[in-house]
Protein backbone atom coordinates (compact mmCIF):
# COMPACT_ATOMS: atom_id res chain seq x y z
CA UNK A 1 0.00 0.00 0.00
CA UNK A 2 3.03 2.29 -0.25
CA UNK A 3 1.74 3.80 -3.49
CA UNK A 4 -1.58 4.90 -1.94
CA UNK A 5 -1.33 8.56 -1.10
CA UNK A 6 -4.81 9.56 0.03
CA UNK A 7 -5.64 6.51 2.16
CA UNK A 8 -8.65 5.54 0.09
CA UNK A 9 -8.75 2.10 -1.50
CA UNK A 10 -10.80 -1.02 -2.17
CA UNK A 11 -9.80 -4.20 -0.33
CA UNK A 12 -10.23 -7.17 -2.67
CA UNK A 13 -10.29 -10.60 -1.05
CA UNK A 14 -8.99 -12.99 -3.71
CA UNK A 15 -9.16 -15.92 -1.30
CA UNK A 16 -12.91 -15.42 -0.94
CA UNK A 17 -13.30 -15.24 -4.72
CA UNK A 18 -11.74 -18.70 -4.91
CA UNK A 19 -14.00 -19.91 -2.09
CA UNK A 20 -17.07 -18.73 -4.01
CA UNK A 21 -15.80 -20.44 -7.16
CA UNK A 22 -15.17 -23.70 -5.31
CA UNK A 23 -18.50 -23.67 -3.49
CA UNK A 24 -20.47 -23.28 -6.70
CA UNK A 25 -18.26 -25.91 -8.37
CA UNK A 26 -19.04 -28.28 -5.50
CA UNK A 27 -22.78 -27.92 -6.21
CA UNK A 28 -22.29 -29.12 -9.80
CA UNK A 29 -19.22 -31.40 -9.75
CA UNK A 30 -19.87 -32.75 -13.25
CA UNK A 31 -19.85 -29.28 -14.86
CA UNK A 32 -17.06 -26.75 -15.42
CA UNK A 33 -17.52 -23.29 -13.92
CA UNK A 34 -16.38 -20.42 -16.16
CA UNK A 35 -15.54 -17.21 -14.25
CA UNK A 36 -16.95 -14.07 -15.86
CA UNK A 37 -14.35 -11.30 -15.51
CA UNK A 38 -15.95 -8.65 -17.73
CA UNK A 39 -16.13 -5.01 -16.60
CA UNK A 40 -12.72 -5.37 -14.95
CA UNK A 41 -14.02 -8.38 -13.01
CA UNK A 42 -17.02 -6.38 -11.80
CA UNK A 43 -14.71 -3.71 -10.46
CA UNK A 44 -12.34 -6.13 -8.70
CA UNK A 45 -9.53 -6.03 -11.28
CA UNK A 46 -9.64 -8.53 -14.14
CA UNK A 47 -5.89 -9.12 -14.34
CA UNK A 48 -5.52 -9.92 -10.67
CA UNK A 49 -8.69 -12.02 -10.37
CA UNK A 50 -7.86 -13.99 -13.52
CA UNK A 51 -4.27 -14.51 -12.43
CA UNK A 52 -5.25 -15.78 -8.99
CA UNK A 53 -7.88 -18.16 -10.36
CA UNK A 54 -5.37 -19.34 -12.94
CA UNK A 55 -2.98 -20.23 -10.11
CA UNK A 56 -5.77 -22.40 -8.71
CA UNK A 57 -6.14 -24.29 -11.98
CA UNK A 58 -8.88 -22.34 -13.78
CA UNK A 59 -8.19 -22.10 -17.52
CA UNK A 60 -11.33 -20.67 -19.17
CA UNK A 61 -12.70 -17.13 -18.70
CA UNK A 62 -15.49 -14.98 -20.14
CA UNK A 63 -15.36 -11.26 -20.91
CA UNK A 64 -17.69 -8.94 -22.80
CA UNK A 65 -15.45 -6.86 -25.07
CA UNK A 66 -12.58 -7.58 -27.42
CA UNK A 67 -10.62 -4.89 -25.58
CA UNK A 68 -11.08 -6.81 -22.32
CA UNK A 69 -10.01 -10.05 -23.99
CA UNK A 70 -6.86 -8.49 -25.46
CA UNK A 71 -5.87 -7.05 -22.09
CA UNK A 72 -5.98 -10.52 -20.56
CA UNK A 73 -4.35 -12.19 -23.56
CA UNK A 74 -1.35 -9.85 -23.30
CA UNK A 75 -0.75 -11.09 -19.76
CA UNK A 76 -1.99 -14.69 -19.94
CA UNK A 77 -1.21 -16.18 -23.37
CA UNK A 78 -2.25 -19.72 -22.44
CA UNK A 79 -5.80 -19.27 -21.05
CA UNK A 80 -9.03 -19.68 -23.01
CA UNK A 81 -11.08 -16.49 -23.39
CA UNK A 82 -14.63 -16.21 -24.72
CA UNK A 83 -16.07 -12.80 -25.62
CA UNK A 84 -19.79 -12.53 -24.91
CA UNK A 85 -20.41 -9.29 -26.81
CA UNK A 86 -20.64 -8.60 -30.54
CA UNK A 87 -17.44 -8.54 -32.62
CA UNK A 88 -17.75 -7.68 -36.32
CA UNK A 89 -15.75 -6.93 -39.48
CA UNK A 90 -11.97 -6.80 -39.28
CA UNK A 91 -12.18 -7.10 -35.51
CA UNK A 92 -12.86 -10.79 -36.03
CA UNK A 93 -9.39 -11.07 -37.57
CA UNK A 94 -7.95 -9.45 -34.45
CA UNK A 95 -9.76 -11.96 -32.24
CA UNK A 96 -8.63 -14.88 -34.38
CA UNK A 97 -5.03 -13.67 -34.45
CA UNK A 98 -4.95 -13.61 -30.64
CA UNK A 99 -6.75 -16.94 -30.22
CA UNK A 100 -9.82 -15.35 -28.65
CA UNK A 101 -13.10 -17.24 -28.90
CA UNK A 102 -16.00 -15.23 -30.31
CA UNK A 103 -19.75 -15.26 -29.75
CA UNK A 104 -21.79 -15.21 -32.97
CA UNK A 105 -25.27 -13.84 -32.38
CA UNK A 106 -26.48 -12.27 -35.67
CA UNK A 107 -26.35 -12.63 -39.44
CA UNK A 108 -23.98 -9.70 -40.01
CA UNK A 109 -21.40 -11.53 -37.91
CA UNK A 110 -21.98 -14.70 -39.90
CA UNK A 111 -21.20 -12.92 -43.16
CA UNK A 112 -18.08 -11.31 -41.67
CA UNK A 113 -16.98 -14.63 -40.24
CA UNK A 114 -17.03 -16.30 -43.64
CA UNK A 115 -14.76 -13.61 -45.09
CA UNK A 116 -11.82 -14.11 -42.76
CA UNK A 117 -9.16 -16.74 -43.44
CA UNK A 118 -7.59 -17.24 -40.03
CA UNK A 119 -8.67 -20.16 -37.83
CA UNK A 120 -11.25 -19.00 -35.33
CA UNK A 121 -13.28 -20.64 -32.55
CA UNK A 122 -16.90 -19.54 -32.08
CA UNK A 123 -19.94 -20.06 -29.86
CA UNK A 124 -23.51 -19.53 -31.08
CA UNK A 125 -25.75 -17.41 -28.89
CA UNK A 126 -29.45 -18.23 -28.94
CA UNK A 127 -32.11 -15.69 -27.97
CA UNK A 128 -34.74 -17.63 -26.02
CA UNK A 129 -36.56 -14.62 -24.60
CA UNK A 130 -34.07 -12.08 -23.28
CA UNK A 131 -34.43 -10.20 -26.60
CA UNK A 132 -30.97 -8.65 -26.30
CA UNK A 133 -28.38 -10.59 -28.31
CA UNK A 134 -28.64 -13.90 -30.13
CA UNK A 135 -30.43 -15.67 -32.97
CA UNK A 136 -34.17 -15.51 -32.36
CA UNK A 137 -35.48 -17.64 -35.22
CA UNK A 138 -34.59 -21.08 -33.92
CA UNK A 139 -35.74 -22.84 -37.08
CA UNK A 140 -32.72 -21.48 -38.93
CA UNK A 141 -30.14 -22.72 -36.39
CA UNK A 142 -29.58 -26.18 -37.97
CA UNK A 143 -28.82 -24.52 -41.32
CA UNK A 144 -26.47 -22.01 -39.66
CA UNK A 145 -24.60 -24.88 -37.99
CA UNK A 146 -24.37 -26.76 -41.28
CA UNK A 147 -23.01 -23.67 -43.00
CA UNK A 148 -20.42 -22.88 -40.32
CA UNK A 149 -19.11 -26.41 -40.10
CA UNK A 150 -18.50 -26.49 -43.84
CA UNK A 151 -15.63 -24.01 -43.43
CA UNK A 152 -12.32 -25.46 -42.28
CA UNK A 153 -11.15 -22.28 -40.58
CA UNK A 154 -14.20 -22.14 -38.27
CA UNK A 155 -14.36 -24.27 -35.14
CA UNK A 156 -17.93 -24.31 -33.81
CA UNK A 157 -17.16 -25.11 -30.20
CA UNK A 158 -20.18 -24.05 -28.19
CA UNK A 159 -23.77 -22.89 -27.99
CA UNK A 160 -25.51 -20.98 -25.23
CA UNK A 161 -28.36 -18.75 -24.14
CA UNK A 162 -28.91 -16.28 -21.30
CA UNK A 163 -31.74 -16.23 -18.76
CA UNK A 164 -33.62 -13.03 -18.03
CA UNK A 165 -35.31 -14.11 -14.78
CA UNK A 166 -33.32 -16.91 -13.13
CA UNK A 167 -33.42 -14.97 -9.87
CA UNK A 168 -37.10 -14.01 -9.70
CA UNK A 169 -39.50 -15.57 -12.23
CA UNK A 170 -39.45 -19.36 -12.52
CA UNK A 171 -42.22 -19.48 -15.12
CA UNK A 172 -40.32 -17.32 -17.57
CA UNK A 173 -37.12 -19.16 -16.73
CA UNK A 174 -38.85 -22.44 -17.61
CA UNK A 175 -40.12 -20.91 -20.85
CA UNK A 176 -36.57 -20.00 -21.90
CA UNK A 177 -35.13 -23.30 -20.67
CA UNK A 178 -37.64 -25.41 -22.58
CA UNK A 179 -37.13 -23.37 -25.72
CA UNK A 180 -33.39 -23.98 -25.62
CA UNK A 181 -33.70 -27.65 -24.62
CA UNK A 182 -36.09 -28.32 -27.52
CA UNK A 183 -33.59 -26.71 -29.88
CA UNK A 184 -30.72 -28.88 -28.60
CA UNK A 185 -32.87 -31.98 -29.04
CA UNK A 186 -33.39 -31.18 -32.74
CA UNK A 187 -29.75 -30.38 -33.58
CA UNK A 188 -27.63 -33.10 -35.13
CA UNK A 189 -24.31 -31.69 -33.95
CA UNK A 190 -22.23 -32.47 -30.87
CA UNK A 191 -20.99 -29.30 -29.22
CA UNK A 192 -17.95 -29.40 -26.94
CA UNK A 193 -19.56 -26.76 -24.75
CA UNK A 194 -23.20 -26.07 -23.90
CA UNK A 195 -23.73 -23.41 -21.25
CA UNK A 196 -26.97 -21.73 -20.25
CA UNK A 197 -26.71 -20.90 -16.54
CA UNK A 198 -25.74 -17.56 -15.06
CA UNK A 199 -25.01 -17.24 -11.33
CA UNK A 200 -28.59 -17.68 -10.12
CA UNK A 201 -29.32 -20.60 -12.44
CA UNK A 202 -25.99 -22.23 -11.60
CA UNK A 203 -26.81 -22.27 -7.91
CA UNK A 204 -30.56 -22.99 -8.07
CA UNK A 205 -31.18 -25.17 -11.11
CA UNK A 206 -28.03 -26.49 -12.79
CA UNK A 207 -27.89 -29.63 -10.64
CA UNK A 208 -30.97 -31.02 -12.42
CA UNK A 209 -29.93 -30.01 -15.96
CA UNK A 210 -28.47 -33.02 -17.76
CA UNK A 211 -27.38 -31.73 -21.17
CA UNK A 212 -25.04 -28.85 -20.36
CA UNK A 213 -21.27 -28.96 -19.87
CA UNK A 214 -20.41 -25.55 -18.37
CA UNK A 215 -21.89 -22.64 -16.41
CA UNK A 216 -21.00 -18.94 -16.39
CA UNK A 217 -20.39 -17.58 -12.90
CA UNK A 218 -20.59 -13.81 -12.79
CA UNK A 219 -21.88 -11.81 -9.82
CA UNK A 220 -21.78 -14.71 -7.36
CA UNK A 221 -18.07 -15.20 -8.01
CA UNK A 222 -17.79 -11.89 -6.18
CA UNK A 223 -19.96 -12.90 -3.23
CA UNK A 224 -23.17 -11.25 -4.38
CA UNK A 225 -26.54 -12.53 -5.50
CA UNK A 226 -30.10 -11.38 -6.14
CA UNK A 227 -31.46 -14.54 -4.47
CA UNK A 228 -32.21 -14.07 -0.79
CA UNK A 229 -32.03 -17.81 -0.12
CA UNK A 230 -28.38 -18.00 -1.24
CA UNK A 231 -26.34 -17.42 1.91
CA UNK A 232 -23.07 -19.35 1.46
CA UNK A 233 -21.16 -16.73 -0.56
CA UNK A 234 -18.25 -14.75 0.91
CA UNK A 235 -17.79 -10.99 0.61
CA UNK A 236 -14.92 -9.98 -1.70
CA UNK A 237 -15.03 -6.16 -1.93
CA UNK A 238 -14.64 -3.57 0.83
CA UNK A 239 -14.42 0.18 0.15
CA UNK A 240 -12.24 1.96 2.71
CA UNK A 241 -11.24 5.56 3.36
CA UNK A 242 -9.77 7.57 6.25
CA UNK A 243 -10.62 10.95 7.67
CA UNK A 244 -8.26 13.59 6.29
CA UNK A 245 -9.53 16.49 8.39
CA UNK A 246 -11.81 16.96 11.39
CA UNK A 247 -13.94 20.10 11.57
CA UNK A 248 -15.48 21.44 14.78
CA UNK A 249 -18.89 22.88 13.97
CA UNK A 250 -20.79 25.17 16.27
CA UNK A 251 -24.56 25.05 16.47
CA UNK A 252 -26.03 26.68 13.37
CA UNK A 253 -22.95 26.29 11.14
CA UNK A 254 -23.36 24.66 7.74
CA UNK A 255 -21.42 22.12 5.67
CA UNK A 256 -20.67 21.66 1.99
CA UNK A 257 -22.06 22.81 -1.36
CA UNK A 258 -25.48 24.40 -1.12
CA UNK A 259 -25.08 24.65 2.65
CA UNK A 260 -27.69 21.92 2.90
CA UNK A 261 -26.64 20.58 6.31
CA UNK A 262 -26.92 22.66 9.48
CA UNK A 263 -25.46 21.57 12.81
CA UNK A 264 -28.23 21.36 15.40
CA UNK A 265 -25.64 21.42 18.18
CA UNK A 266 -21.86 21.69 18.51
CA UNK A 267 -20.44 18.63 16.74
CA UNK A 268 -17.52 17.06 14.89
CA UNK A 269 -17.44 16.52 11.13
CA UNK A 270 -14.99 14.13 9.47
CA UNK A 271 -13.95 14.94 5.89
CA UNK A 272 -13.21 11.83 3.81
CA UNK A 273 -11.05 11.99 0.65
CA UNK A 274 -13.54 10.17 -1.57
CA UNK A 275 -16.45 11.38 -3.67
CA UNK A 276 -18.53 10.90 -6.76
CA UNK A 277 -15.48 10.90 -9.06
CA UNK A 278 -14.57 7.68 -7.24
CA UNK A 279 -18.02 6.19 -7.78
CA UNK A 280 -19.65 7.23 -4.50
CA UNK A 281 -22.87 8.72 -5.80
CA UNK A 282 -24.30 11.90 -4.33
CA UNK A 283 -27.45 9.87 -3.72
CA UNK A 284 -25.71 8.11 -0.81
CA UNK A 285 -26.99 10.82 1.50
CA UNK A 286 -28.90 9.85 3.61
CA UNK A 287 -26.72 6.90 4.49
CA UNK A 288 -24.06 5.70 6.92
CA UNK A 289 -20.43 4.62 7.01
CA UNK A 290 -18.76 2.25 9.48
CA UNK A 291 -15.98 3.18 11.90
CA UNK A 292 -14.91 0.80 14.67
CA UNK A 293 -18.03 -1.35 14.14
CA UNK A 294 -20.32 1.65 14.64
CA UNK A 295 -22.45 3.58 12.16
CA UNK A 296 -21.86 7.26 11.47
CA UNK A 297 -24.20 9.31 9.25
CA UNK A 298 -23.22 10.91 5.94
CA UNK A 299 -24.11 14.61 5.99
CA UNK A 300 -24.08 17.42 3.44
CA UNK A 301 -23.65 17.00 -0.28
CA UNK A 302 -21.07 14.50 -1.49
CA UNK A 303 -18.43 16.36 -3.51
CA UNK A 304 -16.33 15.17 -6.44
CA UNK A 305 -13.34 14.40 -4.19
CA UNK A 306 -14.62 14.61 -0.61
CA UNK A 307 -17.60 13.78 1.56
CA UNK A 308 -18.68 14.55 5.12
CA UNK A 309 -19.65 12.34 8.05
CA UNK A 310 -20.84 13.25 11.52
CA UNK A 311 -18.48 11.69 14.08
CA UNK A 312 -17.79 11.71 17.82
CA UNK A 313 -14.73 12.04 20.05
CA UNK A 314 -13.92 8.32 19.81
CA UNK A 315 -13.02 8.59 16.11
CA UNK A 316 -9.48 9.33 14.91
CA UNK A 317 -7.82 9.87 11.55
CA UNK A 318 -6.14 6.49 11.88
CA UNK A 319 -9.42 4.56 11.94
CA UNK A 320 -10.68 2.67 8.89
CA UNK A 321 -13.84 4.22 7.53
CA UNK A 322 -15.70 1.47 5.67
CA UNK A 323 -18.21 2.76 3.16
CA UNK A 324 -19.43 -0.74 2.35
CA UNK A 325 -18.35 -4.36 2.61
CA UNK A 326 -18.65 -4.71 6.36
CA UNK A 327 -21.42 -3.74 8.76
CA UNK A 328 -22.86 -1.77 5.86
CA UNK A 329 -23.34 -4.29 3.10
CA UNK A 330 -23.19 -3.75 -0.64
CA UNK A 331 -26.84 -4.78 -0.76
CA UNK A 332 -27.72 -2.05 1.74
CA UNK A 333 -26.04 0.57 -0.44
CA UNK A 334 -27.82 -0.82 -3.52
CA UNK A 335 -31.16 -0.50 -1.75
CA UNK A 336 -30.24 3.03 -0.70
CA UNK A 337 -29.58 3.95 -4.35
CA UNK A 338 -32.59 2.03 -5.72
CA UNK A 339 -30.41 -0.25 -7.83
CA UNK A 340 -28.76 -3.69 -7.69
CA UNK A 341 -25.53 -4.80 -6.05
CA UNK A 342 -23.85 -5.28 -9.46
CA UNK A 343 -23.91 -1.55 -10.09
CA UNK A 344 -22.43 -0.56 -6.73
CA UNK A 345 -19.14 -2.40 -7.22
CA UNK A 346 -18.92 -1.56 -10.92
CA UNK A 347 -19.35 2.14 -10.10
CA UNK A 348 -16.11 2.36 -8.13
CA UNK A 349 -13.68 3.93 -10.57
CA UNK A 350 -10.07 3.06 -11.29
CA UNK A 351 -9.10 6.21 -9.40
CA UNK A 352 -9.57 4.04 -6.30
CA UNK A 353 -6.58 1.68 -5.91
CA UNK A 354 -7.32 -2.00 -5.34
CA UNK A 355 -5.44 -3.73 -2.53
CA UNK A 356 -5.40 -7.52 -2.82
CA UNK A 357 -5.61 -10.09 -0.05
CA UNK A 358 -4.35 -13.44 -1.30
Amino acid sequence: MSNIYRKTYAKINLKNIVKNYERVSHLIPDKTVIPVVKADAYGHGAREVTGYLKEKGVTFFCVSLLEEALELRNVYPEIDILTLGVITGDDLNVAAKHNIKVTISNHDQLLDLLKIKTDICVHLKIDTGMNRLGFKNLEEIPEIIKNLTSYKHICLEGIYTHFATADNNKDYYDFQYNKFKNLIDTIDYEFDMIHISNSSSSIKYEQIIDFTTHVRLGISLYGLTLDKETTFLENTFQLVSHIQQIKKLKQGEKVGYGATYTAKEDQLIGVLPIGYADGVSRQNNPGDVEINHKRYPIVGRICMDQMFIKIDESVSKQDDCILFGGLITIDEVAKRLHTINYEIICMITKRVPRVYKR
Side-chain angles (χ1 to χ4, degrees):
M1 293 173 57
S2 59
N3 62 336
I4 296 175
Y5 303 109
R6 62 167 171 157
K7 298 187 75 173
T8 292
Y9 44 88
K11 291 182 179 179
I12 307 299
N13 192 318
L14 294 172
K15 185 176 180 180
N16 281 353
I17 288 176
V18 170
K19 283 183 181 179
N20 294 332
Y21 180 89
E22 291 176 343
R23 286 174 182 177
V24 175
S25 298
H26 182 73
L27 293 177
I28 43 174
D30 57 333
K31 313 285 178 74
T32 299
V33 177
I34 308 172
V36 180
V37 293
K38 64 179 181 175
D40 203 28
Y42 293 55
H44 289 68
R47 279 183 164 191
E48 291 78 8
V49 170
T50 299
Y52 195 68
L53 286 168
K54 177 178 169 293
E55 289 177 16
K56 304 303 178 182
V58 182
T59 60
F60 200 114
F61 298 84
C62 283
V63 297
S64 179
L65 310 177
L66 180 56
E67 292 90 337
E68 294 173 334
L70 291 172
E71 180 183 357
L72 291 183
R73 176 59 75 230
N74 288 335
V75 184
Y76 307 113
E78 68 279 23
I79 64 173
D80 289 313
I81 306 171
L82 171 65
T83 55
L84 302 175
V86 176
I87 300 175
T88 59
D90 289 339
D91 294 345
L92 288 169
N93 280 309
V94 177
K97 177 183 176 182
H98 290 89
N99 193 25
I100 292 166
K101 303 173 190 290
V102 172
T103 291
I104 302 299
S105 58
N106 62 59
H107 287 281
D108 289 339
Q109 285 183 287
L110 282 177
L111 294 175
D112 291 339
L113 192 62
L114 302 183
K115 295 175 186 176
I116 71 171
K117 303 301 181 182
T118 310
D119 290 348
I120 189 167
C121 183
V122 302
H123 287 224
L124 282 183
K125 182 166 188 180
I126 309 301
D127 181 4
T128 54
M130 179 81 169
N131 281 309
R132 188 172 62 177
L133 300 176
F135 292 97
K136 190 171 183 178
N137 182 2
L138 304 192
E139 293 181 357
E140 64 184 0
I141 300 304
E143 187 62 29
I144 290 173
I145 292 173
K146 182 179 178 181
N147 191 19
L148 287 176
T149 54
S150 68
Y151 288 81
K152 291 184 178 180
H153 73 286
I154 299 173
C155 169
L156 180 55
E157 179 181 56
I159 188 168
Y160 71 97
T161 192
H162 189 67
F163 292 115
T165 65
D167 61 296
N168 64 4
N169 185 330
K170 184 61 162 57
D171 288 341
Y172 199 73
Y173 173 91
D174 288 340
F175 166 76
Q176 286 191 261
Y177 171 85
N178 290 326
K179 200 170 183 180
F180 188 84
K181 178 64 164 61
N182 291 337
L183 171 65
I184 294 298
D185 289 341
T186 64
I187 293 175
D188 185 22
Y189 181 79
E190 188 171 343
F191 289 95
D192 291 334
M193 296 178 63
I194 303 175
H195 46 107
I196 63 177
S197 284
N198 54 15
S199 288
S200 290
S201 178
S202 298
I203 293 169
K204 295 165 66 176
Y205 306 123
E206 187 66 34
Q207 297 175 65
I208 58 173
I209 299 174
D210 61 2
F211 65 93
T212 56
T213 62
H214 294 67
V215 302
R216 304 182 304 274
L217 190 65
I219 194 64
S220 292
L221 181 67
Y222 310 102
L224 298 171
T225 178
L226 298 180
D227 298 301
K228 293 181 180 179
E229 60 269 32
T230 300
T231 58
F232 61 81
L233 300 171
E234 301 282 351
N235 181 56
T236 63
F237 194 118
Q238 188 176 79
L239 184 60
V240 180
S241 190
H242 291 78
I243 294 171
Q244 63 181 357
Q245 191 163 355
I246 296 176
K247 293 283 187 175
K248 294 182 179 180
L249 261 61
K250 294 182 179 180
Q251 181 179 4
E253 288 192 304
K254 299 180 182 296
V255 162
Y257 284 120
T260 58
Y261 176 77
T262 303
K264 294 181 179 179
E265 68 278 323
D266 292 355
Q267 61 189 236
L268 298 177
I269 297 293
V271 184
L272 301 178
I274 187 170
Y276 61 76
D278 302 295
V280 180
S281 167
R282 297 199 334 157
Q283 305 306 312
N284 276 288
N285 183 3
D288 298 323
V289 301
E290 175 191 352
I291 303 175
N292 298 325
H293 309 291
K294 181 180 176 181
R295 288 173 176 264
Y296 291 89
I298 299 167
V299 299
R301 287 183 181 167
I302 294 174
C303 311
M304 181 180 289
D305 309 302
Q306 284 94 24
M307 58 184 289
F308 310 99
I309 55 175
K310 181 182 175 183
I311 60 174
D312 56 37
E313 296 283 355
S314 69
V315 174
S316 75
K317 292 182 180 180
Q318 285 71 45
D319 295 328
D320 283 357
C321 176
I322 303 170
L323 282 80
F324 60 70
L327 178 66
I328 297 156
T329 66
I330 297 170
D331 286 319
E332 177 182 328
V333 178
K335 185 176 181 180
R336 180 194 303 167
L337 299 185
H338 306 288
T339 186
I340 56 174
N341 48 32
Y342 295 63
E343 186 174 8
I344 302 306
I345 53 176
C346 288
M347 283 170 61
I348 304 306
T349 69
K350 289 194 174 183
R351 203 169 84 145
V352 177
R354 272 58 171 175
V355 177
Y356 294 94
K357 178 180 179 182
R358 299 177 68 85

